[in-house]
Amino acid sequence: MRQQALFLGKTRKEDSEATYQASARTLALVSELRGLGFGVSEPLLHALNTLDEKEQQTLLDVMNEVMGTKLNWASLTRGWLVPTGETVWDHFVTLMANVMREKSEVSSGSEEDSRVLPCGHYIPEGTFDLERYNGCPFCGTPFHTADWTYRGQGTKLRTLQLWDEAQMRQLLTDLLLSPVPLDASQRDSLKVLLRYYDLPAGADIKMKETRMLVVNNLVDMGDDASAGSLLATPTDVLRYLWYRHTGHIQLIEPRTLLHTDRKNQRYEWNTPEDIDRHVDAKREQLKLKYDRPWCHRVARWLNAQTLSTDQQLEAMHPKREMWVRMIRALRLAEYARRPGYEHLRELMDRFYRKDYQVWQGRVDHYRLKNDATETLRLLRQRPGLFARSLFATMLTFGREPVIAAFREVLPQVPVRLLLSLGGQAENYFDRNAQRIARPLSGVQKDIQPHPLLAHYTDEELAAMRRDVNGLYLEAMRQHFASQPLPTGAGSIYIDPALDQIPVSVGDRPATIQDTACALQGTRFKVEGDAVRLFLQWGVGLPAQHLDMDLSCYLLRQNSEISKSANSEESANSEISKSSNSEIGESSNSEEPEVCAYFNLSPKGARHSGDIQHIPNQVGTAEYIELQLPVLEERGIERVVFTCNAYTAGSLQPNLMVGWMSCEHPMQVSNKTGVAYDPSTVQHIVRIAESNLSKGLIFGVLDVKAREITWLEMPFDGQTVISVNTRTVDAYLRRLRAKPTIGQLLRIKAEVQGLTLVDTPEAADEAFTLLWAQNPAAVSRLLIS
């Protein structure tokens, strides 16, 4: 489904005399799929017709599971498009009334008992209208669930294709050979495929993160020798061991995990002692404990590596602290004394004596001495690292000598790094541009302009940008010129939508997309006058206090938020849930506005109510509906979509978030508040289990253009007020500065002499939006 296809595999009955008259049962299945927002191609229709009743029902169950139709989609408020009128005063009066009841004795059977809810809270007369709620309006505990959703309101269907074994194996090959890191959806797909298919013969897996998934599969199958052959350096071994231990595919150090976990425990009811206990428990989980078979396995891997000892030691140096802990836990010093482990013995001996030199140390030494000749000589030895430090080196030693040295190693630089340089040069060499970085903890950080920019004139900085872009374009032309053309290829079709989709390089989205594989920066056209955001969480968990919040910012032109996502000020100014209320329709001030649990009904937006406790196993939901004509009339330019964890911890694994759009008004139940219809879903993502972030920005709506840009931008903070919109703007500029798929395909057409045509049917090579939904295939063509 991530590739807009169904694979029936061995469940499909092979019948040489296939019946092309669809049965009533098959037509009923197609009707059910239509209600979920999916159509079927003609080959898939014929294939579905060959399935028996049980197989068709299994298929439908999978589709319903992916779209979440069996979950609880009831909201706190019934018919929530009509505001309830609750105020801060209602919450205050209710709080005081419950405090007074605790201090006084109320006899059983009194008239007040009818106003006492199952959660134990007393709702005074004249405050909340209880007929409007499915739960307690004071503490956010739901009392009712709904196991149904609306169907078929959507006006556009996603056509599913039929896939066979060859296409599944091709997808496996594309994922394995992807020249860029796989995102969470692709990693999940690769894990599934590796269970059923063998590795393609001769597959050269370039990305280290991809190799970790393959190694894990080989180790589970007991093939240690093949797994060891994929671990070329000690860093690969450490990365795999840490991935197996923590679930993080990148090498995030223990102190970073503990620091992030401490921040995520911020919560109004958590005392410092509570936080310390939780962090201590996390520290205990991170302790390394290995049995003898694992110790022996790792010792063999390190001893068998073909790198020289000097190369191994240099690779180990950046993570020396982690290696000290790992060596002790794996008893490597003991195994190094055994016969046949001479290479490991030398490695351990020199590691502890620190008897080695580090290439990066020599580079830094000559850089600090301002020795351009020796610095550039060393950088030419490592083209990839040269590319990563190109901009700073240009500012340090000047444009001409650095560009000349870099041009010598240009053919050896990976294309993905050149694409990154081409997309970042514009902002980097701008004194006033806001730049951001995304460290391993996942939360974007603001970066000030490089101080050396002040030593160059505008003309010199413009020349640096031109030089970098010239190198990038030159490399891309060489790249496409070296690609063989398919036999008889003379024309090409490029979908115009591809001109707006940035090439995915280094984004590493951590959310899983189960119904599509859209790249970050993809723009979705709003179909009607309303956009409905949704949030569903708590699936499979027992009833408990677990509060996730759906919110959005309503921004006028040039409106900004001064609080930074990682500032202490924002951490100390979170709005308490005790003030969960509707402030009322806001004025037209220039300050940014929020639609959230503490402001349920700003003009042009409606929130379904704040749920703070989840029911048993089925989860719960919140919604926000945005009325675009009203927002446009008010001068709202953009809306930033966010979700965050209010309670202690990070975003709940398997949390689903996205938005719906429909040409016609979408229904809301006046009985249960259900407002979810899978057929109207434009985009939906699921939080992966290894998530570290407290909050997530998942989309930005351009009100006037009626266009939503999907992005994945984690942020720190307990509520939406922790978002820094300047960082959001910088992230959007970064995405839009990247080369797009359409731009690269046009360079390909120009270099290879292909004629552009207007329809895919008339082209020898057709690149459509459906093709772009396989990011691994896109990367293999454009970047490999």
Side-chain angles (χ1 to χ4, degrees):
M1 290 180 64
R2 291 168 184 162
Q3 313 302 325
Q4 299 297 289
L6 289 179
F7 170 69
L8 303 183
K10 296 179 181 178
T11 61
R12 180 186 174 189
K13 297 176 182 176
E14 300 297 339
D15 186 355
S16 58
E17 297 179 359
T19 303
Y20 289 92
Q21 181 66 38
S23 66
R25 189 179 67 244
T26 300
L27 294 177
L29 172 63
V30 173
S31 178
E32 290 283 349
L33 293 178
R34 185 181 181 87
L36 296 175
F38 294 97
V40 299
S41 64
E42 185 175 349
L44 178 56
L45 175 63
H46 298 325
L48 293 174
N49 204 37
T50 65
L51 302 181
D52 61 31
E53 183 177 1
K54 183 179 178 180
E55 292 167 339
Q56 288 188 353
Q57 185 58 49
T58 300
L59 172 63
L60 186 58
D61 290 342
V62 170
M63 300 289 288
N64 279 304
E65 179 184 354
V66 170
M67 299 306 298
T69 58
K70 301 300 183 183
L71 305 177
N72 169 40
W73 289 95
S75 65
L76 184 65
T77 308
R78 300 169 181 172
W80 48 268
L81 287 180
V82 178
T84 60
E86 65 180 69
T87 64
V88 175
W89 180 251
D90 294 330
H91 285 266
F92 177 75
V93 170
T94 303
L95 174 63
M96 292 297 100
N98 280 275
V99 171
M100 296 302 295
R101 278 176 63 85
E102 289 179 2
K103 294 182 178 180
S104 63
E105 294 183 0
V106 180
S107 60
S108 177
S110 65
E111 292 183 3
E112 291 185 356
D113 282 354
S114 62
R115 306 282 297 182
V116 177
L117 302 181
C119 61
H121 286 125
Y122 166 64
I123 307 299
E125 193 75 40
T127 55
F128 300 100
D129 181 3
L130 292 181
E131 292 184 357
R132 292 293 312 278
Y133 295 93
N134 288 314
C136 176
F138 182 67
C139 71
T141 301
F143 305 141
H144 305 286
T145 60
D147 59 354
W148 62 275
T149 61
Y150 289 104
R151 306 288 179 95
Q153 296 178 100
T155 52
K156 290 187 177 180
L157 299 178
R158 307 180 208 183
T159 302
L160 297 172
Q161 306 296 324
L162 175 64
W163 269 30
D164 56 21
E165 290 274 354
Q167 288 161 308
M168 292 293 279
R169 292 182 184 277
Q170 183 60 50
L171 175 61
L172 174 60
T173 301
D174 289 338
L175 293 172
L176 289 172
L177 302 185
S178 172
V180 298
L182 302 180
D183 60 32
S185 303
Q186 294 171 307
R187 292 198 298 269
D188 189 68
S189 296
L190 181 57
K191 291 177 187 177
V192 174
L193 291 168
L194 288 173
R195 295 182 206 153
Y196 299 99
Y197 298 106
D198 295 330
L199 290 175
D204 185 12
I205 306 172
K206 297 292 186 183
M207 292 308 302
K208 295 178 180 179
E209 296 173 19
T210 306
R211 289 208 298 267
M212 298 307 105
L213 302 177
V214 178
V215 167
N216 196 51
N217 185 69
L218 293 171
V219 170
D220 288 341
M221 294 192 304
D223 191 354
D224 290 352
S226 298
S229 67
L230 294 174
L231 301 173
T233 70
T235 305
D236 292 343
V237 176
L238 182 63
R239 185 190 297 272
Y240 170 64
L241 293 172
W242 199 239
Y243 165 65
R244 182 132 186 153
H245 186 56
T246 65
H248 295 290
I249 200 78
Q250 293 175 282
L251 273 173
I252 308 177
E253 296 190 8
R255 60 172 174 265
T256 303
L257 293 174
L258 293 173
H259 176 69
T260 302
D261 197 55
R262 181 178 290 277
K263 287 195 304 180
N264 287 345
Q265 291 304 307
R266 256 184 348 222
Y267 178 53
E268 57 186 324
W269 304 117
N270 260 9
T271 65
E273 292 76 16
D274 293 332
I275 295 176
D276 288 340
R277 280 194 295 269
H278 183 89
V279 174
D280 288 342
K282 180 71 173 181
R283 185 179 288 108
E284 188 67 26
Q285 292 176 7
L286 293 176
K287 284 186 177 179
L288 301 173
K289 299 176 183 178
Y290 292 103
D291 56 19
R292 286 288 180 176
W294 264 103
C295 297
H296 196 193
R297 177 183 290 123
V298 176
R300 290 198 306 269
W301 286 344
L302 289 172
N303 190 65
Q305 288 183 349
T306 57
L307 290 179
S308 68
T309 305
D310 287 322
Q311 291 173 318
Q312 286 182 301
L313 289 167
E314 186 174 354
M316 295 169 70
H317 181 76
K319 301 295 180 184
R320 184 178 177 86
E321 292 182 11
M322 292 184 70
W323 267 114
V324 169
R325 296 178 62 230
M326 195 67 72
I327 289 170
R328 291 172 181 170
L330 291 164
R331 306 176 181 89
L332 293 182
E334 174 188 333
Y335 281 90
R337 292 194 292 268
R338 296 186 178 185
Y341 287 84
E342 288 76 14
H343 184 64
L344 180 62
R345 183 184 309 150
E346 181 186 2
L347 180 66
M348 293 296 99
D349 178 54
R350 294 181 58 187
F351 177 81
Y352 277 109
R353 290 192 291 110
K354 298 184 180 179
D355 179 21
Y356 56 88
Q357 288 188 335
V358 179
W359 175 86
Q360 186 62 53
R362 287 182 289 154
V363 172
D364 293 341
H365 170 74
Y366 288 114
R367 192 190 298 272
L368 290 173
K369 291 179 64 176
N370 204 30
D371 188 338
T373 303
E374 280 300 309
T375 302
L376 295 176
R377 181 185 66 80
L378 289 170
L379 287 174
R380 285 195 294 267
Q381 296 174 6
R382 308 278 177 92
L385 294 176
F386 195 174
R388 289 181 174 91
S389 62
L390 177 64
F391 294 166
T393 307
M394 290 171 66
L395 293 178
T396 303
F397 298 122
R399 173 176 62 91
E400 293 182 357
V402 176
I403 289 294
F406 188 70
R407 192 179 294 278
E408 294 179 24
V409 297
L410 186 63
Q412 304 170 47
V413 178
V415 175
R416 61 188 175 89
L417 294 182
L418 293 169
L419 283 174
S420 297
L421 295 177
Q424 295 173 13
E426 195 69 30
N427 284 337
Y428 191 95
F429 295 109
D430 185 343
R431 298 187 191 89
N432 303 313
Q434 177 77 31
R435 296 193 298 124
I436 59 172
R438 183 174 180 175
L440 293 181
S441 59
V443 177
Q444 272 82 1
K445 305 294 183 183
D446 293 343
I447 302 178
Q448 296 301 317
H450 198 294
L452 290 180
L453 289 172
H455 296 282
Y456 291 89
T457 65
D458 292 341
E459 292 75 14
E460 289 172 327
L461 294 177
M464 290 182 179
R465 288 194 291 269
R466 286 196 302 272
D467 284 346
V468 172
N469 287 324
L471 288 173
Y472 143 69
L473 291 173
E474 177 185 338
M476 292 309 303
R477 289 191 173 92
Q478 292 175 0
H479 168 63
F480 288 122
S482 66
Q483 287 185 348
L485 271 176
T487 305
S491 59
I492 185 174
Y493 169 77
I494 303 172
D495 194 316
L498 301 184
D499 290 322
Q500 296 183 342
I501 302 179
V503 178
S504 178
V505 179
D507 291 333
R508 290 185 176 89
T511 57
I512 295 178
Q513 305 174 62
D514 286 326
T515 60
C517 274
L519 296 171
Q520 277 202 78
T522 299
R523 303 178 197 179
F524 296 83
K525 280 291 184 182
V526 176
E527 296 178 19
D529 288 333
V531 172
R532 183 172 295 172
L533 315 184
F534 60 86
L535 172 69
Q536 215 286 350
W537 78 97
V539 179
L541 296 178
Q544 60 181 287
H545 183 205
L546 184 65
D547 188 1
M548 304 286 135
D549 288 329
L550 180 66
S551 314
C552 64
Y553 256 120
L554 312 178
L555 301 174
R556 293 180 175 83
Q557 188 173 10
N558 299 326
S559 60
E560 291 184 347
I561 302 165
S562 60
K563 294 184 178 65
S564 172
N566 57 359
S567 68
E568 290 300 322
E569 180 184 1
S570 68
N572 295 325
S573 63
E574 308 293 2
I575 298 178
S576 171
K577 285 289 178 173
S578 61
S579 65
N580 171 14
S581 63
E582 178 181 345
I583 296 175
E585 294 187 356
S586 304
S587 64
N588 289 327
S589 67
E590 291 304 314
E591 292 299 318
E593 229 178 313
V594 173
C595 180
Y597 68 85
F598 52 85
N599 190 18
L600 299 177
S601 303
K603 190 174 181 180
R606 293 289 181 270
H607 195 292
S608 65
D610 180 37
I611 295 179
Q612 303 174 42
H613 296 74
I614 60 171
N616 192 45
Q617 300 298 321
V618 294
T620 192
E622 290 183 7
Y623 306 90
I624 291 177
E625 177 140 322
L626 302 169
Q627 299 155 349
L628 272 59
V630 178
L631 294 177
E632 191 170 4
E633 181 182 342
R634 292 186 56 205
I636 301 297
E637 183 182 60
R638 293 173 299 150
V639 183
V640 180
F641 308 159
T642 74
C643 64
N644 56 272
Y646 185 83
T647 45
S650 58
L651 289 172
Q652 164 67 30
N654 292 325
L655 174 150
M656 298 167 60
V657 66
W659 66 83
M660 296 178 278
S661 172
C662 184
E663 184 179 342
H664 308 294
M666 295 172 281
Q667 292 181 283
V668 174
S669 171
N670 290 323
K671 183 178 180 181
T672 62
V674 169
Y676 180 71
D677 184 338
S679 69
T680 64
V681 172
Q682 270 198 320
H683 198 57
I684 183 172
V685 297
R686 177 162 53 89
I687 299 297
E689 292 185 4
S690 59
N691 177 67
L692 293 174
S693 59
K694 190 80 172 170
L696 177 71
I697 298 170
F698 61 93
V700 177
L701 166 66
D702 185 327
V703 176
K704 186 175 182 180
R706 302 292 178 94
E707 191 175 72
I708 299 172
T709 300
W710 176 68
L711 50 82
E712 181 184 315
M713 184 178 171
F715 68 94
D716 282 335
Q718 199 174 353
T719 68
V720 64
I721 62 173
S722 301
V723 173
N724 184 345
T725 55
R726 287 172 297 180
T727 306
V728 177
D729 289 339
Y731 191 66
L732 283 172
R733 285 196 300 270
R734 174 180 168 180
L735 281 176
R736 289 171 182 172
K738 286 185 174 185
T740 66
I741 296 175
Q743 288 170 350
L744 295 188
L745 287 174
R746 283 178 169 77
I747 295 176
K748 167 183 165 69
E750 176 190 343
V751 171
Q752 298 180 346
L754 301 175
T755 303
L756 288 171
V757 296
D758 297 330
T759 59
E761 294 79 15
D764 299 317
E765 285 188 286
F767 298 98
T768 63
L769 191 59
L770 181 61
W771 166 79
Q773 289 180 349
N774 182 358
V778 175
S779 300
R780 284 192 65 194
L781 175 72
L782 301 180
I783 302 174
S784 179

